């Protein structure tokens, strides 16, 4: 789910709920992947018809524009199981499993839920622990101890299984770094939907983390994200949708999907001064390095 979602007005909410997907962009010449998507939530929130396999339709639409691989990300036990099952049968999909930071305080038995997440993490097509992390925007003070407990447990699982940690960080930059320092970061850390400024980006880059940029970096008021992207080395950059959220401009407020990755990656190329094909190749190489081969 989104690290820094925009505030939608009524008309934007209605458009998203009606499932008015934007038109497909021009295909990419060099394929790239979506490092963070929620196919299950996209189908539900966009009200896609159940016939003709809407998940397959979303995967196919992405492939047609050069987005040939996806990381399906879990936010609770049900979505994590669903993603692991999808990845097991679909060669272009890998899964990440986790309890979202806002999910942890709601659980009656957090320890048991974490044990189930660990069992899923052992599966070969599950290639990440996420999205986990800290969110001080939606979780009250009373729930933050459970949130931090869950985050620390996910870090430990990621290290035990040598899998990347995918972090949800909403208004918790310094606390995220504090916990990672205290626990010791896994070999690969991805800041999903990077939402910090240039100073925070520089700190993450220095630590060797990967910064994943979403459609938010195209928003008019997101100059700070473009500054962060401009100083991120291509070897530490990923691109994502966080679909169905965070649709890039000029389609903000309509449902997002992986086929819109070309809009964001073109904006990244313009912001960083990188050749588009070179940037896509670098992002794909980062994905193979961090998540391993898809097939």
């Amino acid at each position: 789910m989104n690290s820094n979602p925009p505030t939608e007005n009524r008309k934007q909410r209605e458009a998203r709920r009606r499932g008015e997907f934007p038109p497909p962009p021009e295909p990419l010449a060099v394929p790239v992947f979506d490092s963070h998507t929620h196919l299950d939530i996209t189908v539900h929130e966009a009200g896609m018809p159940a016939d003709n396999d809407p998940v397959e339709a979303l995967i196919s639409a992405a492939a047609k524009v050069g987005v040939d691989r996806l990381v399906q990300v879990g936010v609770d036990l049900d979505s994590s199981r669903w993603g692991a099952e999808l990845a097991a049968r679909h060669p272009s999909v890998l899964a990440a499993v986790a309890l979202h930071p806002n999910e942890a305080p709601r659980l009656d038995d957090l320890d048991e839920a974490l044990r189930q997440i660990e069992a899923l993490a052992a599966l070969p097509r599950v290639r990440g622990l996420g999205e986990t992390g800290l969110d001080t925007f939606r979780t009250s003070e009373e729930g933050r101890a459970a949130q931090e407990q869950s985050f620390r447990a996910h870090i430990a699982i990621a290290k035990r299984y040598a899998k990347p940690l995918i972090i949800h960080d909403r208004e918790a930059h310094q606390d995220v770094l504090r916990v990672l320092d205290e626990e010791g970061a896994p070999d690969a850390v991805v800041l999903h939907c990077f939402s910090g400024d240039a100073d925070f980006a520089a700190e993450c880059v220095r630590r060797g983390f990967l910064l994943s940029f979403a459609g938010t970096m195209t928003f008019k008021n997101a100059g700070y994200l473009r500054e962060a992207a401009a100083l991120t080395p291509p070897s530490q950059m990923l691109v994502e949708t966080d679909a169905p959220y965070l649709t890039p401009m000029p389609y903000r407020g309509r449902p997002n999907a992986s086929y819109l990755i070309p809009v964001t990656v073109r904006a990244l190329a313009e912001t960083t001064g990188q050749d588009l094909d070179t940037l896509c190749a670098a992002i794909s190489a980062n994905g193979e390095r961090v998540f391993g081969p898809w097939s």
Side-chain angles (χ1 to χ4, degrees):
M1 296 174 68
N2 46 315
S3 288
N4 196 15
T7 300
E8 295 178 323
N9 62 35
R10 181 178 57 81
K11 289 183 66 177
Q12 289 172 326
R13 285 195 299 272
E14 289 175 354
R16 179 161 65 84
R17 289 169 180 165
R18 283 198 302 269
E20 295 176 2
F21 284 98
E26 180 183 350
L28 296 168
V30 175
V32 74
F33 76 105
D34 184 350
S35 74
H36 193 114
T37 189
H38 303 284
L39 292 163
D40 50 337
I41 302 175
T42 302
V43 168
H44 175 74
E45 293 219 359
M48 296 181 69
D51 57 336
N52 299 321
D53 195 341
V55 171
E56 189 61 44
L58 289 168
I59 295 170
S60 176
K64 288 176 182 177
V65 296
V67 183
D68 60 350
R69 290 149 293 157
L70 314 174
V71 179
Q72 163 66 24
V73 179
V75 296
D76 54 22
L77 285 174
D78 287 345
S79 62
S80 293
R81 292 190 195 100
W82 184 89
E85 291 168 1
L86 176 66
R89 67 177 187 269
H90 208 295
S92 66
V93 178
L94 295 177
V97 299
L99 307 175
H100 189 281
N102 293 324
E103 175 73 3
R106 303 178 186 137
L107 295 171
D108 293 331
D109 192 341
L110 176 57
D111 289 338
E112 174 57 27
L114 289 166
R115 281 191 288 272
Q116 294 185 47
I117 289 294
E118 179 157 8
L120 292 170
L123 298 173
R125 296 285 292 176
V126 172
R127 301 287 180 80
L129 271 294
E131 56 187 279
T132 182
L134 300 174
D135 186 325
T136 62
F137 180 79
R138 287 185 176 170
T139 297
S140 65
E141 193 70 40
E142 311 88 78
R144 290 178 190 172
Q147 193 176 88
E148 188 166 315
Q149 176 190 347
S150 178
F151 184 27
R152 290 178 188 273
H154 282 81
I155 293 170
I157 296 168
K159 290 195 290 187
R160 276 197 291 276
Y161 292 90
K163 295 186 178 181
L165 185 74
I166 301 167
I167 293 180
H168 170 108
D169 162 26
R170 187 166 188 191
E171 298 186 9
H173 304 327
Q174 296 309 312
D175 282 333
V176 163
L177 294 181
R178 171 182 58 79
V179 173
L180 287 169
D181 285 346
E182 290 171 359
E183 296 294 324
D187 289 340
V189 174
V190 177
L191 272 297
H192 139 64
C193 185
F194 185 80
S195 59
D197 59 14
D199 289 341
F200 184 60
E203 182 64 22
C204 292
V205 166
R206 184 183 67 79
R207 292 163 181 258
F209 300 163
L210 287 94
L211 281 57
S212 185
F213 291 94
T216 44
M217 62 89 53
T218 70
F219 295 174
K220 183 178 180 180
N221 63 349
Y224 66 100
L225 290 179
R226 291 184 283 276
E227 291 174 1
L231 60 79
T232 303
S235 62
Q236 290 176 251
M237 184 176 288
L238 297 175
V239 65
E240 67 172 82
T241 55
D242 196 23
Y245 312 103
L246 307 185
T247 313
M249 294 294 291
Y251 307 115
R252 183 176 180 180
R254 295 168 71 175
N256 201 1
S258 294
Y259 76 90
L260 292 172
I261 278 283
V263 179
T264 301
V265 80
R266 286 188 170 101
L268 275 174
E270 181 178 352
T271 294
T272 61
Q274 295 282 319
D275 171 76
L276 177 62
D277 290 353
T278 302
L279 181 59
C280 287
I283 289 171
S284 286
N286 296 341
E288 297 282 334
R289 185 179 80 250
V290 172
F291 296 105
W294 264 255
S295 58

